[in-house]
Amino acid sequence: MTETPSARRPLAVFDIDNTLADTGHRQHFLERRPRDWDGFFGAAPADPPLARGVALAVESAADCEVVYLTGRPERCRADTADWLARHGLPEGRVWMRGNQDRRPARQTKLDVLQRIARGREVRMLVDDDELVCQAARAAGFRVVLADWAAEAPELKSAQEGDNSRT
């Protein structure tokens, strides 16, 4: 069996929310108690793109296969794929959180990243969540902190603390 060129290319792994997509307009859904996760994810198709993140993904596609690792639940797959295509992002596999997975992002993403790395070189992870970046760096991955989005304290709290989606 011959390896395809894409199978040999290293991977560039990109987060989506606040790395490629500006979630600022939907933060208010997370300020409520209980958090309105359906409203938050339902508004995602209207996210404006973050120019620096999109440019980095497009630039990375010259040397790497671009894939996406997001904390969005699986039920958002169609909207996410449409958003990526609409904003000119490179085609690539999208790794999503299970619909019932409430673990902190630093755990879910590191688990998937390590699984991906078993079969391929991961050139870099690009993510806005500092705790995800710390965990990935500690596991030996090269990390680019996506610090170009506006602060999203409610999203950070939700990603790492109480992930109750009721």
Side-chain angles (χ1 to χ4, degrees):
M1 183 169 159
T2 308
E3 263 187 79
T4 63
S6 66
R8 291 189 304 267
R9 295 177 78 201
L11 298 174
V13 182
F14 281 81
D15 172 46
I16 297 174
D17 291 339
N18 283 342
T19 298
L20 300 172
D22 185 349
T23 67
H25 71 101
R26 53 188 171 112
Q27 292 301 307
H28 63 96
F29 290 108
L30 302 181
E31 294 168 1
R32 305 173 184 164
R33 295 296 179 267
R35 291 184 173 111
D36 181 0
W37 287 104
D38 288 337
F40 180 76
F41 290 120
D47 289 353
L50 289 166
R52 284 183 59 193
V54 171
L56 183 57
V58 170
E59 176 184 310
S60 297
D63 297 321
C64 298
E65 179 181 343
V66 174
V67 297
Y68 304 94
L69 175 56
T70 180
R72 292 179 182 190
E74 186 63 42
R75 70 180 180 274
C76 299
R77 182 168 293 280
D79 285 344
T80 300
D82 290 346
W83 188 93
L84 291 167
R86 188 169 66 249
H87 293 289
L89 276 296
E91 285 186 30
R93 181 165 182 180
V94 179
W95 300 82
M96 303 186 89
R97 174 190 296 268
N99 286 330
Q100 303 306 314
D101 189 343
R102 308 278 196 274
R103 294 175 297 153
R106 68 183 178 277
Q107 291 175 343
T108 59
K109 287 185 174 183
L110 186 59
D111 286 352
V112 173
L113 195 58
Q114 289 173 323
R115 199 172 36 212
I116 293 170
R118 285 187 201 124
R120 297 283 292 279
E121 174 196 346
V122 174
R123 173 84 43 94
M124 69 177 163
L125 167 69
V126 184
D127 201 296
D128 70 302
D129 185 324
E130 291 179 31
L131 294 176
V132 168
C133 291
Q134 288 172 7
R137 199 174 288 116
F141 293 98
R142 179 173 174 255
V143 173
V144 175
L145 176 63
D147 59 0
W148 43 81
E151 285 293 313
E154 285 297 324
L155 179 57
K156 280 187 194 285
S157 170
Q159 287 174 326
E160 296 305 332
D162 172 21
N163 285 324
S164 173
R165 300 210 170 150
T166 57

